[in-house]
Amino acid sequence: GAVVSQHPSRVICKSGTSVKIECRSLDFQATTMFWYRQFPKQSLMLMATSNEGSKATYEQGVEKDKFLINHASLTLSTLTVTSAHPEDSSFYICSASRVLLGEKLFFGSGTQLSVL
Amino acid sequence: DQQVKQNSPSLSVQEGRISILNCDYTNSMFDYFLWYKKYPAEGPTFLISISSIKDKNEDGRFTVFLNKSAKHLSLHIVPSQPGDSAVYFCAASAWIYNQGGKLIFGQGTELSVKP
């Protein structure tokens, strides 16, 4: 079946540095990818919709200059957390779909970001 | 404003019994609902879904019921197994408004199935 690969699975960084997270669709082309964030014991919150070849659409309250999204190809979307701070520490998950049907939305394995 | 709510943060069930996980939503635009199972530090795994034109969908031990008038859905797992222990999230989307790929998640319910 279709697989979404997310890398890295875990990253620890110093405050003020930038961190890039990659999301790849391995065996299908994804015109749209989604980025979610989950704080401990809380729900997964949609951050942005990443469209290939165009600007990402951010949800209300998500800083586009803080969370840079690039969807340069049909198989790769990246999320860069710029000038990370401890409050950015969270679990980030991407999802991708070949056909926009719920069950065809495949999730990556997530990235645990810890900012010291 | 929490559009999808799972009011029970945890549920404990004996092996072999039925597990019932509940979910309420407020947005009447939602027309597609999904349940995911999730382990810590992993991405969600799809379990079962239901379209708003149906009131029940069954897949093996998993059945999802949808009550549109009450804006309520539930996931039944029967019989429950220890391997079912995980956090279960319900999610909703609005295909009619071309928002199908955007999932709105509930807070999750941690299910513990005791042997």
Side-chain angles (χ1 to χ4, degrees), chain B residues 1 3 11 13 49 53 55 61 77 87 97 101 107 114:
Chain B
D1 178 34
Q3 297 185 68
L11 174 68
V13 172
S49 62
I53 62 173
D55 54 22
R61 296 186 299 115
I77 307 173
V87 178
Y97 291 94
Q107 307 96 310
K114 308 288 186 186

Side-chain angles (χ1 to χ4, degrees), chain B:
Chain B
D1 178 34
Q2 190 77 25
Q3 297 185 68
V4 179
K5 297 179 184 179
Q6 292 174 257
N7 292 317
S8 298
S10 63
L11 174 68
S12 184
V13 172
Q14 205 66 32
E15 180 179 7
R17 298 290 190 101
I18 185 171
S19 295
I20 300 176
L21 297 100
N22 294 302
C23 179
D24 297 295
Y25 62 96
T26 57
N27 193 336
S28 50
M29 290 196 312
F30 291 143
D31 53 11
Y32 199 75
F33 305 88
L34 310 92
W35 283 94
Y36 286 87
K37 179 180 180 181
K38 186 179 180 299
Y39 295 107
E42 292 185 13
T45 302
F46 171 77
L47 280 176
I48 193 168
S49 62
I50 188 166
S51 162
S52 61
I53 62 173
K54 295 185 175 182
D55 54 22
K56 177 183 174 182
N57 189 25
E58 196 170 348
D59 184 2
R61 296 186 299 115
F62 302 93
T63 303
V64 56
F65 295 92
L66 175 63
N67 183 334
K68 283 178 61 180
S69 60
K71 292 191 175 68
H72 176 84
L73 63 152
S74 61
L75 174 68
H76 292 209
I77 307 173
V78 56
S80 302
Q81 301 172 354
D84 295 329
S85 298
V87 178
Y88 289 78
F89 287 94
C90 75
S93 64
W95 284 100
I96 192 170
Y97 291 94
N98 200 29
Q99 300 285 303
K102 293 173 61 172
L103 298 183
I104 308 299
F105 284 86
Q107 307 96 310
T109 296
E110 185 170 8
L111 174 65
S112 176
V113 181
K114 308 288 186 186

Side-chain angles (χ1 to χ4, degrees), chain A residues 23-63:
Chain A
C23 181
R24 294 180 185 273
S25 54
L26 295 185
D27 58 357
F28 66 97
Q29 293 182 331
T31 54
T32 305
M33 291 184 175
F34 303 89
W35 288 96
Y36 293 83
R37 177 170 57 183
Q38 184 189 25
F39 292 106
K41 303 279 187 185
Q42 293 188 27
S43 178
L44 289 82
M45 300 296 294
L46 179 66
M47 298 175 66
T49 303
S50 169
N51 299 297
E52 187 268 337
S54 63
K55 289 184 179 180
T57 304
Y58 291 82
E59 295 300 304
Q60 190 174 10
V62 178
E63 301 174 58

Side-chain angles (χ1 to χ4, degrees), chain A residues 58 62-68 80-83:
Chain A
Y58 291 82
V62 178
E63 301 174 58
K64 63 175 82 172
D65 295 329
K66 173 79 171 173
F67 299 99
L68 300 180
T80 302
V81 183
T82 61
S83 187

